[in-house]
Amino acid sequence: MAASAAAAESSVRRRHVDSRRTETDHVPGSSEDGETTSKDSEKEKHVVFLQPGTFWLTRIVLLRSVAFIYFVAFMVAYNQNKQLIGENGLMPCKSYLNSVKRYVGGKIGLAALAYTPTVLWFLDWSSMDTNLDCIALLGMALSGFVLVTGMASMVIMVTLWVLYHSLVNVGQLWYSFGWESQLLETGFLAIFLCPVWTLSQIPRSCPPSLICIWTFRWLIVRIMLGAGLIKIRGDKCWRDLTCMDYHYETQPVPNPMSYYMHHSPWWFHRFETLSNHFIELIAPFFTFLGRRMCMVNGAIQILFQVVLIISGNLSFLNWLTIVPSLACFDDASLSFLFRCGSGAKEAVLEIQQEEATGQAPKPTKGTLIRRVVNISLGVLIGCLSIPVVMNLLSPRQVMNTSFDPLRIVNTYGAFGSITKERTEVIFQGTLSPDPKDPETVWEEYQFKCKPGDVYRQPCLISPYHYRLDWLMWFAAFQTYEQSEWIIHIAGRLLANDSTVLSLLDHNPFQGKDPPRWVRGEHFRYKFTQPGSASTAQGKWWLRKRIGAYFPAVDLEGLRGYFQSRNWPHPHIPPSRN
């Protein structure tokens, strides 16, 4: 028994050590050699090799990663919710909840909760801004705790999931992106990584479930296959390998690297497109080919997402997609992330030693109950995956869709079609009483991040996200009749409304009278050529006017438009009455 224990310990501690010297091995008087050997021996005591097949450290990494995304998402919510869905927001969530209430019969009950799951049903609506802020701040506090400590319980993770659900379900257009459902699905899976109450990095009574690890792996497989199949079935440029000729310039919010990536050689763009197809359509199947190939897929997906992060501002989408990829790695492969001698690493080593020597504690009643819960999770995900898999196999595949109200298992995809030219809507205002006067001077508003001023360097904000800037990208290839909120913004700008102006970077009428007229102009944007005269002048973009996006409007002229849509009409400054 002693011999087997020694052998087990040897199998999990550092191998390939040439020799271990003790004081009796040294030549008397060789103090320098003795001191060096003593230090080496001390170091060797703390250098360990963990065995593959356990996921204690993987759980810590997954929880911290999910917490990081939650923290960013709640921070975005705290900074932007009041302007977008607050009491004076562009689409007040209170109005939305009232419409849902009327739709389900005028009562706040199970029907309302099933239609729009949110804790806001149970809060006082007299101060909706406070409610939204409290939800966001509580989410930031809880996710920050998990991020810093690496510890979480089911209670904490369920709370985070419910809080973010509560925002997404009343966020309307502003929360209509695919990564919202992806975060909710990822957050739901993270709940089952944790013990119910215990806060510990290594809760021995709740070992990580292999079923839960595989639900994360199944998530990354579905994400990548969904993205790859929607491309192959979508835009022809994905099949003739030319999509990357356009993507960097026309993506929603480019960053500085997008400029240089766009000007890469044509052969590099072909290589990028081929690589994209391999990564999204072939590599996911490595997950099912054993430990090493699963780790290969994990490494490929993480590297791919890092490249996407570097080359554009796609919110926290790519950061979030890294999370399930981490489940492809076990403790042995992630141990390098934990310093030697760390409590978590030493605890895992001890657990592995106990299992190897048959000294692991016997399963308790709680452990057996937890196994039932884990099996139930696997069955639930399997059942909810049926329509998702059918969608993947369908030639009429849809992306970023949920088949259940709680968004537990969803379809994903991105850039099924690529816009071949970039167009932008530019808001302009004037103090002139006559907008048709050729001498009228129009001044431009600038958004936080989307292209506007041709001299302004593209921003770098990922994983943060400006929701209005992203929606402006969609609006640019639609009409203002399809995006009526554009006119709502114009009315707010006419009143110098501080709520909406806080979403912008530059107000040309700050410290002045509000504009008398506001209009939307439509421009085509292209990156300048490196080494050109325009680049020498400091320009990042060239632009050409397409025409009017919406005609010049004033506050009085918008009164009927606002009333017909039950929007509060902005205040008309006294000087104009």
Side-chain angles (χ1 to χ4, degrees), residues 59-71:
R59 169 162 61 186
I60 297 173
V61 174
L62 282 171
L63 287 174
R64 277 184 157 151
S65 301
V66 173
F68 171 72
I69 305 300
Y70 267 134
F71 186 85

Side-chain angles (χ1 to χ4, degrees), residues 190-454:
I191 293 170
F192 297 89
L193 288 171
C194 312
V196 177
W197 296 104
T198 306
L199 287 176
S200 172
Q201 286 191 340
I202 309 293
R204 291 185 172 230
S205 61
C206 183
S209 165
L210 192 57
I211 292 176
C212 189
I213 294 297
W214 270 101
T215 59
F216 278 98
R217 294 175 179 178
W218 175 230
L219 173 58
I220 189 60
V221 168
R222 287 187 289 108
I223 290 172
M224 302 317 294
L225 287 179
L229 289 171
I230 202 71
K231 292 180 176 66
I232 290 296
R233 292 167 174 155
D235 202 315
K236 182 176 179 290
C237 70
W238 286 113
R239 298 187 293 277
D240 62 25
L241 309 183
T242 59
C243 274
M244 301 309 292
D245 294 346
Y246 312 100
H247 168 71
Y248 296 114
E249 183 177 72
T250 63
Q251 64 179 306
V253 185
N255 69 13
M257 274 302 297
S258 306
Y259 176 88
Y260 300 102
M261 297 290 281
H262 175 71
H263 291 298
S264 300
W266 68 269
W267 56 264
F268 184 73
H269 290 317
R270 303 299 180 272
F271 169 75
E272 286 180 302
T273 313
L274 277 173
S275 299
N276 184 94
H277 293 330
F278 171 79
I279 292 168
E280 293 184 340
L281 293 172
I282 305 298
F285 292 102
F286 293 174
T287 305
F288 309 103
L289 300 180
R291 175 178 178 266
R292 290 186 179 180
M293 292 304 292
C294 183
M295 289 194 299
V296 168
N297 176 54
I300 289 173
Q301 302 304 340
I302 291 173
L303 180 61
F304 181 48
Q305 299 307 317
V306 169
V307 171
L308 295 177
I309 290 168
I310 292 172
S311 62
N313 293 301
L314 298 176
S315 180
F316 51 75
L317 172 63
N318 306 119
W319 301 78
L320 176 59
T321 306
I322 288 175
V323 176
S325 303
L326 295 169
C328 294
F329 303 93
D330 57 18
D331 291 342
S333 52
L334 291 179
S335 62
F336 74 96
L337 296 175
F338 297 79
R339 61 181 177 82
C340 293
S342 67
K345 200 169 183 179
E346 290 295 329
V348 174
L349 175 65
E350 185 177 337
I351 291 171
Q352 290 187 350
Q353 289 175 349
E354 290 175 354
E355 292 177 350
T357 57
Q359 298 175 358
K362 294 181 180 180
T364 63
K365 183 179 179 181
T367 304
L368 295 176
I369 294 174
R370 189 54 184 258
R371 288 178 182 175
V372 173
V373 171
N374 292 332
I375 293 172
S376 301
L377 170 66
V379 172
L380 174 66
I381 298 300
C383 292
L384 294 178
S385 294
I386 293 174
V388 174
V389 173
M390 297 301 293
N391 177 71
L392 286 175
L393 299 176
S394 171
R396 297 184 181 88
Q397 176 192 359
V398 294
M399 64 181 190
N400 301 328
T401 301
S402 300
F403 294 102
D404 63 90
L406 295 180
R407 310 190 196 207
I408 295 174
V409 180
N410 313 287
T411 68
Y412 301 105
F415 297 108
S417 61
I418 296 291
T419 52
K420 307 305 186 294
E421 62 179 21
R422 180 177 203 92
T423 59
E424 294 288 349
V425 178
I426 304 297
F427 283 95
Q428 298 176 341
T430 183
L431 293 170
S432 172
D434 183 5
K436 297 181 180 179
D437 187 344
E439 302 299 320
T440 296
V441 176
W442 292 92
E443 300 183 76
E444 295 187 1
Y445 294 87
Q446 299 296 329
F447 283 73
K448 297 280 189 182
C449 211
K450 89 174 191 68
D453 181 0
V454 296

Side-chain angles (χ1 to χ4, degrees), residues 45-261:
K45 291 179 182 178
H46 294 88
V47 177
V48 295
F49 285 105
L50 298 177
Q51 290 294 296
T54 61
F55 298 91
W56 297 92
L57 301 182
T58 305
R59 169 162 61 186
I60 297 173
V61 174
L62 282 171
L63 287 174
R64 277 184 157 151
S65 301
V66 173
F68 171 72
I69 305 300
Y70 267 134
F71 186 85
V72 173
F74 282 114
M75 180 168 59
V76 172
Y78 179 71
N79 290 333
Q80 300 176 36
N81 271 353
K82 291 185 290 295
Q83 300 92 319
L84 299 175
I85 61 174
E87 295 172 0
N88 297 313
L90 293 169
M91 297 180 183
C93 65
K94 183 177 179 179
S95 300
Y96 173 74
L97 289 173
N98 277 322
S99 67
V100 172
K101 183 179 175 181
R102 289 192 297 271
Y103 177 77
V104 297
K107 295 181 180 180
I108 299 176
L110 290 178
L113 193 60
Y115 191 90
T116 305
T118 175
V119 298
L120 288 172
W121 289 118
F122 310 107
L123 301 180
D124 181 8
W125 291 5
S126 63
S127 182
M128 193 61 81
D129 285 355
T130 301
N131 294 338
L132 294 172
D133 280 351
C134 287
I135 289 174
L137 288 172
L138 180 57
M140 289 174 65
L142 291 176
S143 57
F145 171 81
V146 178
L147 176 61
V148 172
T149 65
M151 299 185 294
S153 66
M154 271 189 156
V155 173
I156 291 177
M157 300 310 292
V158 166
T159 303
L160 286 169
W161 186 70
V162 169
L163 291 175
Y164 201 64
H165 235 305
S166 297
L167 296 179
V168 170
N169 289 323
V170 299
Q172 306 159 82
L173 180 68
W174 313 109
Y175 281 79
S176 60
F177 310 116
W179 55 76
E180 315 295 358
S181 295
Q182 188 175 327
L183 176 53
L184 288 172
E185 180 171 351
T186 307
F188 178 79
L189 299 180
I191 293 170
F192 297 89
L193 288 171
C194 312
V196 177
W197 296 104
T198 306
L199 287 176
S200 172
Q201 286 191 340
I202 309 293
R204 291 185 172 230
S205 61
C206 183
S209 165
L210 192 57
I211 292 176
C212 189
I213 294 297
W214 270 101
T215 59
F216 278 98
R217 294 175 179 178
W218 175 230
L219 173 58
I220 189 60
V221 168
R222 287 187 289 108
I223 290 172
M224 302 317 294
L225 287 179
L229 289 171
I230 202 71
K231 292 180 176 66
I232 290 296
R233 292 167 174 155
D235 202 315
K236 182 176 179 290
C237 70
W238 286 113
R239 298 187 293 277
D240 62 25
L241 309 183
T242 59
C243 274
M244 301 309 292
D245 294 346
Y246 312 100
H247 168 71
Y248 296 114
E249 183 177 72
T250 63
Q251 64 179 306
V253 185
N255 69 13
M257 274 302 297
S258 306
Y259 176 88
Y260 300 102
M261 297 290 281

